[in-house]
Amino acid sequence: MAIVPAEQLDHYRENVVNRMKTFMEGFTTGQKATVVTVAVGIIVIAAIFMTYSGKPTYAPLFTNLSSSDAASMTTKLTSDHVPFQLADGGSTIMVPANDVASQRLALAQAGLPTQSNVGLSQVNKAGITTSQLAQQTDYLIGLQGELSNTINAIHGVTGSQVNIALPANQTFVLNNTNPTGASVLIDMSPGATLSPEEVQAIVHLVASSVPGLSASDVTVADSNGNLLAGPGVTSALGTEDSATQSYDQAEQAKIEGYLTSVLGPNNADVVVNAQLNFNKQSTTTHTLITAPNGKVNGFCTNTSTNTQKFTGSGTLPGGALGSTVTPTVGSGPSVYTQSSGSSQCEAGTQTQNVVTSPGQPVNQSVAVLINSKALPSGVSLTALKTGVVNAAHIVAARGDTISFAAMPFSTTAASAAAKQAAAAAAASKKAALMNDIKMAAVALVILVVLFLLWRSARKARRASMESGMDLNGLLGYPEVPGSLMGEPTGQLQTVGGELGGPAVDMNKFIDNQPDEVAATIRTWMRENKGANA
């Protein structure tokens, strides 16, 4: 690496200083003030832009904090030099979005927040000398904390509190651990609501986690005081309404899809109202299995035969039935035989058990209104109605009804909406254009000001050169007498000594002020050219 001599560095520094002085001397006082004002304005605008662009975006670190947890966490963040903001009355702490994950890990390592971490792990902290009542209390608190943490994982839930009610104090209360009920308080994020399915999920989640707790004894309410589930509230009502609404929307979508393919979009209005049966029915049917010829198929499973024989001497006693005469008895031989048989047969039977799932349609009513202006030529209303009946699966036997009508649609609302959309788009485009114009105007003004300043300085420097500045003036010599201007160059070399001027290194002077020397030479050349002409 070459080392630059100190004299050469001083020469370069002196050259730069001289250039800057010469450039600034070409400005007037007003021009200098304008340059300084523009420079300060650019610096201020750049500082404001850097301040706002570098400002971090804050995101929630923890919400629904107690006062003690919030105080501990803010102390920890302050000691770690992490910027934070408080919201929701101090129950929410917000930090830069990029630091949320790392700060949650750091606070968890420090055991914060303490109350939100309450769970069954707290039971392990109990000592061996803890009483059974204290252990039961710690277990109940831990179970409530675990349930609260689990419910908080549901989308839209920002916080929850679970309370499990134990029976009243009894003689053997420690052996009686069956709860009498539970309550859950839900805090939702702004604009979020729980669906009936999510409410039932919370109810069964709590009931399944507590031994002996029935789902009918769980009460769920939100932070606005709305009762979502509990004793006396029909749990299936919300589910049934949701199922009915889903069925109506599905049928409506099928009909609208069919009509859109014929009429085009936004040319039909469809309303479906269905009644569903949510009763669970079970039907058992016993039938005989018959052969192809129609006879019942059967088979015998048990057959038995019994035969009795009797042999003796003499004729068997006999006589008229009902006579009071003593029957005669013969003396010859006699033989008696009796046979009997029995068979147990069964016919082939079939048992069928059919369970009807809830939610089957009982009946439905469909109302269809189409735009008569959009009806294609060659398509009749009758054919279109038949297609709607088939698409909606209208069954007249169960009481389904359909209302089908055609009339011209009003275009006022559509036209107004289109105009509003066009006006909004035009306003947005105009605002963007005006913003671009403002930015371009500011940049143009800055460029024009800089150009005028440069041009003014250049003209001032040129006027100064042309008004009488010569090489001797730049060198610091006194003005050369007019009688010597026509002398040869060799004679001018001694003028400096005769006039008492200092001895100057010409090469060094040219290096220090090349622009001024070049301007002086150009002036001389123009003057010489004019004289020759």
Side-chain angles (χ1 to χ4, degrees):
M1 180 177 179
I3 300 176
V4 181
E7 296 180 356
Q8 188 173 358
L9 290 176
D10 295 338
H11 173 69
Y12 289 155
R13 183 167 53 253
E14 185 179 358
N15 188 12
V16 172
V17 172
N18 292 333
R19 287 172 179 268
M20 293 180 62
K21 288 182 178 179
T22 304
F23 178 76
M24 293 302 296
E25 289 175 355
F27 289 95
T28 62
T29 304
Q31 293 173 347
K32 292 180 181 180
T34 304
V35 171
V36 172
T37 303
V38 172
V40 171
I42 293 174
I43 294 174
V44 171
I45 293 174
I48 295 174
F49 176 76
M50 293 177 62
T51 301
Y52 281 94
S53 62
K55 188 176 181 180
T57 302
Y58 284 82
L61 180 64
F62 285 100
T63 59
N64 297 322
L65 293 172
S66 62
S67 300
S68 59
D69 282 342
S72 301
M73 294 175 67
T74 53
T75 303
K76 174 67 175 174
L77 294 174
T78 303
S79 62
D80 293 342
H81 303 287
V82 178
F84 64 89
Q85 294 178 353
L86 296 178
D88 298 333
S91 62
T92 300
I93 298 179
M94 304 181 69
V95 298
N98 297 332
D99 298 335
V100 171
S102 60
Q103 291 307 314
R104 283 181 178 175
L105 294 177
L107 292 175
Q109 186 177 6
L112 296 173
T114 57
Q115 295 188 6
S116 60
N117 290 331
V118 173
L120 294 177
S121 59
Q122 301 295 321
V123 180
N124 298 330
K125 299 180 181 180
I128 59 176
T129 59
T130 306
S131 64
Q132 187 175 2
L133 179 60
Q135 290 180 358
Q136 182 183 10
T137 303
D138 292 341
Y139 173 78
L140 182 62
I141 295 175
L143 181 59
Q144 293 176 162
E146 290 289 343
L147 289 174
S148 179
N149 294 335
T150 304
I151 295 173
N152 292 343
I154 298 177
H155 179 70
V157 177
T158 58
S160 63
Q161 182 177 353
V162 180
N163 296 319
I164 301 175
L166 291 177
N169 293 331
Q170 298 177 3
T171 304
F172 303 100
V173 66
L174 297 180
N175 296 329
N176 186 3
T177 58
N178 293 330
T180 58
S183 62
V184 182
L185 181 63
I186 305 295
D187 188 11
M188 302 297 298
S189 58
T193 57
L194 288 175
S195 64
E197 293 79 6
E198 292 174 335
V199 174
Q200 291 303 309
I202 294 175
V203 170
H204 291 285
L205 178 65
V206 175
S208 301
S209 302
V210 181
L213 179 61
S214 175
S216 59
D217 296 328
V218 178
T219 302
V220 180
D222 60 11
S223 57
N224 296 324
N226 299 321
L227 182 62
L228 306 179
V233 179
T234 304
S235 60
L237 181 59
T239 305
E240 293 177 1
D241 292 341
S242 178
T244 303
Q245 185 178 4
S246 299
Y247 180 86
D248 293 343
Q249 292 177 353
E251 293 296 317
Q252 180 177 341
K254 290 193 299 183
I255 299 174
E256 289 179 348
Y258 167 73
L259 293 175
T260 300
S261 63
V262 179
L263 305 175
N266 301 324
N267 285 313
D269 190 9
V270 181
V271 178
V272 177
N273 292 317
Q275 181 181 359
L276 306 183
N277 184 10
F278 292 97
N279 297 327
K280 186 176 181 180
Q281 299 177 352
S282 178
T283 304
T284 303
T285 305
H286 299 278
T287 57
L288 296 175
I289 302 176
T290 58
N293 57 4
K295 294 183 178 180
V296 177
N297 291 333
F299 56 92
C300 297
T301 59
N302 188 9
T303 302
S304 62
T305 303
N306 185 17
T307 303
Q308 295 180 355
K309 292 184 179 181
F310 175 77
T311 303
S313 59
T315 304
L316 292 174
L321 182 62
S323 175
T324 58
V325 180
T326 301
T328 59
V329 180
S331 59
S334 62
V335 178
Y336 172 75
T337 302
Q338 182 182 5
S339 297
S340 62
S342 63
S343 297
Q344 184 176 357
C345 299
E346 296 181 0
T349 59
Q350 181 181 8
T351 302
Q352 184 178 12
N353 187 14
V354 178
V355 178
T356 303
S357 60
Q360 297 299 322
V362 177
N363 55 63
Q364 63 178 348
S365 60
V366 180
V368 179
L369 179 63
I370 66 172
N371 186 7
S372 59
K373 296 181 179 180
L375 188 64
S377 59
V379 178
S380 63
L381 293 178
T382 303
L384 202 58
K385 180 179 179 181
T386 302
V388 171
V389 169
N390 295 330
H393 190 60
I394 301 296
V395 181
R398 66 182 182 186
D400 295 353
T401 59
I402 181 173
S403 176
F404 194 88
M407 60 183 63
F409 281 11
S410 174
T411 59
T412 304
S415 300
K419 290 181 179 179
Q420 292 179 357
S428 177
K429 186 176 180 180
K430 183 178 180 180
L433 180 60
M434 292 301 296
N435 188 25
D436 295 340
I437 292 175
K438 290 179 181 179
M439 296 297 294
V442 172
L444 182 60
V445 168
I446 295 175
L447 292 177
V448 169
V449 170
L450 294 177
F451 174 75
L452 293 177
L453 293 176
W454 173 80
R455 184 178 178 182
S456 177
R458 186 168 178 268
K459 286 184 176 180
R461 186 167 59 251
R462 179 178 296 178
S464 177
M465 293 294 183
E466 295 178 353
S467 63
M469 181 181 295
D470 56 5
L471 183 58
N472 292 326
L474 293 175
L475 292 175
Y477 293 155
E479 185 178 357
V480 180
S483 60
L484 297 178
M485 293 300 295
E487 296 295 334
T489 306
Q491 297 180 6
L492 288 177
Q493 294 178 356
T494 61
V495 171
E498 296 176 358
L499 296 177
V504 178
D505 187 353
M506 297 296 297
N507 293 329
K508 183 177 180 181
F509 173 78
I510 294 173
D511 290 338
N512 290 337
Q513 298 182 2
D515 294 338
E516 289 77 0
V517 173
T520 303
I521 294 174
R522 284 195 296 269
T523 302
W524 287 352
M525 293 177 65
R526 285 195 299 270
E527 293 177 353
N528 187 22
K529 184 177 180 181
N532 293 334

